[in-house]
Coordinates of all heavy atoms in Angstrom, one line a residue:
G1 N 0.9 -1.3 0.0 CA 0.0 0.0 0.0 C 1.0 1.3 0.0 O 2.0 1.3 0.5
N2 N 0.3 2.3 -0.5 CA 1.1 3.5 -0.6 C 1.3 4.4 0.7 O 2.2 5.1 0.8 CB 0.4 4.5 -1.7 CG 0.5 3.9 -3.1 OD1 1.5 3.2 -3.4 ND2 -0.6 4.1 -3.9
D3 N 0.4 4.1 1.5 CA 0.4 4.8 2.9 C -0.4 3.7 3.9 O -0.9 2.7 3.4 CB -0.2 6.1 2.9 CG -1.6 6.2 2.3 OD1 -2.4 5.3 2.4 OD2 -1.9 7.2 1.6
V4 N -0.6 4.2 5.1 CA -1.4 3.3 6.1 C -2.7 3.0 5.5 O -3.1 1.8 5.7 CB -1.3 3.9 7.5 CG1 -2.2 3.2 8.4 CG2 0.1 4.1 8.0
K5 N -3.5 4.1 5.2 CA -4.8 3.8 4.7 C -4.8 3.0 3.6 O -5.8 1.9 3.6 CB -5.5 5.2 4.5 CG -7.0 5.2 4.1 CD -7.4 6.5 3.8 CE -8.9 6.5 3.3 NZ -9.5 7.8 3.0
D6 N -4.1 3.1 2.6 CA -4.1 2.4 1.4 C -3.7 0.8 1.8 O -4.2 -0.1 1.3 CB -3.2 2.9 0.4 CG -3.3 2.1 -1.0 OD1 -4.3 1.8 -1.4 OD2 -2.3 1.9 -1.6
A7 N -2.7 0.7 2.7 CA -2.2 -0.5 3.0 C -3.2 -1.3 3.8 O -3.5 -2.6 3.6 CB -1.0 -0.4 4.0
L8 N -4.1 -0.8 4.6 CA -5.2 -1.3 5.3 C -6.2 -1.8 4.3 O -6.8 -3.1 4.5 CB -5.8 -0.7 6.4 CG -4.9 -0.2 7.7 CD1 -5.3 0.8 8.5 CD2 -4.7 -1.6 8.5
Y9 N -6.5 -1.1 3.3 CA -7.5 -1.4 2.3 C -6.9 -2.6 1.4 O -7.7 -3.6 1.3 CB -7.8 -0.2 1.4 CG -8.6 -0.5 0.3 CD1 -10.1 -0.6 0.3 CD2 -8.1 -0.9 -1.0 CE1 -10.9 -0.9 -0.8 CE2 -8.9 -1.3 -2.1 CZ -10.2 -1.3 -2.0 OH -11.0 -1.6 -2.9
M10 N -5.7 -2.5 1.1 CA -5.2 -3.5 0.3 C -4.9 -4.8 1.0 O -5.1 -6.0 0.4 CB -3.8 -3.0 -0.3 CG -3.8 -1.9 -1.2 SD -4.9 -2.2 -2.7 CE -3.8 -3.4 -3.6
A11 N -4.7 -4.8 2.2 CA -4.6 -6.0 3.1 C -6.0 -6.7 3.2 O -6.0 -7.9 3.0 CB -4.2 -5.7 4.6
N12 N -7.1 -5.9 3.3 CA -8.4 -6.5 3.4 C -8.6 -7.2 2.0 O -9.2 -8.3 2.0 CB -9.4 -5.3 3.7 CG -10.8 -5.9 3.9 OD1 -11.6 -6.0 2.9 ND2 -11.0 -6.0 5.2
D13 N -8.3 -6.6 0.9 CA -8.7 -7.1 -0.4 C -7.7 -8.4 -0.6 O -8.2 -9.4 -1.2 CB -8.4 -6.0 -1.5 CG -8.9 -6.5 -2.9 OD1 -10.0 -6.9 -3.0 OD2 -8.0 -6.5 -3.8
A14 N -6.5 -8.3 -0.2 CA -5.6 -9.4 -0.5 C -6.2 -10.6 0.4 O -6.2 -11.8 -0.2 CB -4.1 -9.1 0.0
L15 N -6.7 -10.3 1.5 CA -7.3 -11.5 2.3 C -8.4 -12.0 1.7 O -8.5 -13.4 1.6 CB -7.7 -10.9 3.7 CG -8.1 -11.9 4.8 CD1 -7.1 -13.0 5.0 CD2 -8.6 -11.3 6.0
G16 N -9.3 -11.3 1.1 CA -10.5 -11.8 0.3 C -10.1 -12.6 -0.8 O -10.7 -13.6 -1.1
C17 N -9.1 -12.2 -1.6 CA -8.7 -12.8 -2.8 C -8.0 -14.2 -2.4 O -8.3 -15.2 -3.1 CB -7.7 -11.9 -3.6 SG -8.4 -10.5 -4.5
F18 N -7.2 -14.1 -1.4 CA -6.5 -15.4 -1.0 C -7.5 -16.4 -0.5 O -7.3 -17.6 -0.8 CB -5.5 -15.1 0.1 CG -4.6 -16.2 0.3 CD1 -3.4 -16.3 -0.5 CD2 -4.9 -17.1 1.5 CE1 -2.6 -17.4 -0.2 CE2 -4.0 -18.1 1.6 CZ -2.8 -18.3 0.7
L19 N -8.5 -16.1 0.2 CA -9.4 -17.1 0.8 C -10.6 -17.4 0.0 O -11.4 -18.4 0.3 CB -9.9 -16.5 2.2 CG -8.8 -16.4 3.2 CD1 -9.3 -15.8 4.5 CD2 -8.2 -17.6 3.5
F20 N -10.8 -16.7 -1.2 CA -11.9 -16.9 -2.0 C -12.2 -18.3 -2.4 O -13.2 -18.8 -2.3 CB -11.8 -16.0 -3.2 CG -13.1 -16.1 -4.2 CD1 -14.2 -15.3 -4.0 CD2 -13.0 -17.1 -5.2 CE1 -15.2 -15.4 -4.9 CE2 -14.2 -17.2 -6.1 CZ -15.3 -16.3 -5.9
D21 N -11.2 -19.0 -2.9 CA -11.3 -20.4 -3.4 C -11.7 -21.5 -2.2 O -12.5 -22.2 -2.4 CB -10.0 -20.9 -4.0 CG -9.9 -20.3 -5.5 OD1 -11.0 -19.9 -6.1 OD2 -8.8 -20.3 -6.1
D22 N -11.0 -21.2 -1.2 CA -11.3 -22.0 0.1 C -12.8 -22.0 0.4 O -13.5 -22.9 0.8 CB -10.5 -21.7 1.2 CG -9.0 -22.0 1.1 OD1 -8.8 -22.9 0.1 OD2 -8.1 -21.7 1.9
Y23 N -13.2 -20.7 0.4 CA -14.7 -20.3 0.8 C -15.6 -21.0 -0.3 O -16.6 -21.7 0.1 CB -14.9 -18.9 0.7 CG -16.4 -18.5 1.1 CD1 -16.8 -18.5 2.5 CD2 -17.2 -18.2 0.1 CE1 -18.1 -18.0 2.7 CE2 -18.6 -17.7 0.3 CZ -18.9 -17.7 1.7 OH -20.1 -17.4 2.0
A24 N -15.3 -20.8 -1.5 CA -16.2 -21.3 -2.6 C -16.2 -22.9 -2.6 O -17.2 -23.4 -3.0 CB -15.8 -20.8 -3.9
K25 N -15.2 -23.4 -2.3 CA -15.1 -24.9 -2.2 C -15.4 -25.5 -0.8 O -15.3 -26.7 -0.7 CB -13.6 -25.3 -2.8 CG -13.2 -25.0 -4.2 CD -11.9 -25.4 -4.4 CE -11.6 -24.9 -5.9 NZ -10.1 -25.0 -6.1
L26 N -15.9 -24.8 0.0 CA -16.2 -25.2 1.3 C -15.3 -25.9 2.1 O -15.5 -26.6 2.9 CB -17.6 -26.1 1.2 CG -18.7 -25.6 0.5 CD1 -19.9 -26.6 0.5 CD2 -19.3 -24.4 1.4
E27 N -13.9 -25.4 1.9 CA -12.8 -25.9 2.6 C -12.7 -25.2 3.9 O -13.1 -24.0 4.0 CB -11.7 -25.8 1.7 CG -11.7 -26.7 0.6 CD -10.4 -26.6 -0.4 OE1 -9.5 -25.9 -0.1 OE2 -10.4 -27.3 -1.5
D28 N -12.0 -25.9 4.8 CA -11.7 -25.2 6.1 C -10.8 -24.0 5.9 O -9.8 -24.1 5.0 CB -11.1 -26.2 7.1 CG -12.0 -27.3 7.5 OD1 -13.3 -27.0 7.5 OD2 -11.7 -28.3 7.9
M29 N -10.9 -22.9 6.7 CA -10.1 -21.7 6.5 C -8.8 -22.2 7.4 O -8.8 -22.8 8.3 CB -10.7 -20.5 7.2 CG -12.0 -20.1 6.5 SD -11.6 -19.4 4.8 CE -12.7 -20.3 3.9
P30 N -7.6 -21.6 6.8 CA -6.3 -21.8 7.7 C -6.5 -21.3 9.1 O -7.3 -20.4 9.3 CB -5.3 -21.0 6.9 CG -5.8 -21.0 5.5 CD -7.4 -20.9 5.7
K31 N -5.9 -21.9 10.0 CA -5.8 -21.5 11.4 C -5.1 -20.1 11.5 O -4.2 -20.0 10.8 CB -5.1 -22.5 12.2 CG -5.3 -22.3 13.7 CD -4.6 -23.5 14.5 CE -4.7 -23.4 16.0 NZ -5.0 -22.2 16.6
S32 N -5.6 -19.3 12.3 CA -5.2 -18.0 12.6 C -4.3 -18.0 13.9 O -4.7 -18.4 14.9 CB -6.2 -16.9 12.7 OG -5.8 -15.7 13.0
S33 N -3.1 -17.4 13.7 CA -2.2 -17.2 14.9 C -2.7 -16.1 15.7 O -3.5 -15.3 15.4 CB -0.8 -16.9 14.4 OG -0.2 -17.9 13.6
L34 N -2.1 -16.0 17.0 CA -2.3 -14.8 17.8 C -1.3 -13.7 17.5 O -0.1 -14.0 17.2 CB -2.0 -15.2 19.2 CG -3.1 -16.3 19.8 CD1 -2.7 -16.8 21.2 CD2 -4.4 -15.7 19.8
L35 N -1.8 -12.5 17.4 CA -1.0 -11.3 17.1 C 0.2 -11.1 18.0 O 1.3 -10.9 17.6 CB -1.8 -10.0 17.2 CG -1.3 -8.8 16.6 CD1 -1.1 -9.0 15.0 CD2 -2.2 -7.6 16.8
E36 N 0.0 -11.5 19.3 CA 1.1 -11.3 20.2 C 2.3 -12.3 20.0 O 3.3 -12.2 20.5 CB 0.7 -11.4 21.6 CG -0.2 -12.6 22.0 CD -1.6 -12.4 21.9 OE1 -2.1 -11.5 21.2 OE2 -2.4 -13.3 22.5
D37 N 2.0 -13.4 19.2 CA 3.0 -14.5 19.0 C 4.0 -14.1 17.8 O 4.8 -14.8 17.4 CB 2.3 -15.8 18.7 CG 1.7 -16.4 20.0 OD1 2.1 -15.9 21.1 OD2 0.9 -17.2 19.9

């Protein structure tokens, strides 16, 4: 992203693009780590 605001927007879009196929194929989503780790 070009700045913080754009980076947050782009992160959201990247997440959607990445998980789209798993969602459409009814596959389990990858496990999420804890931020503090």
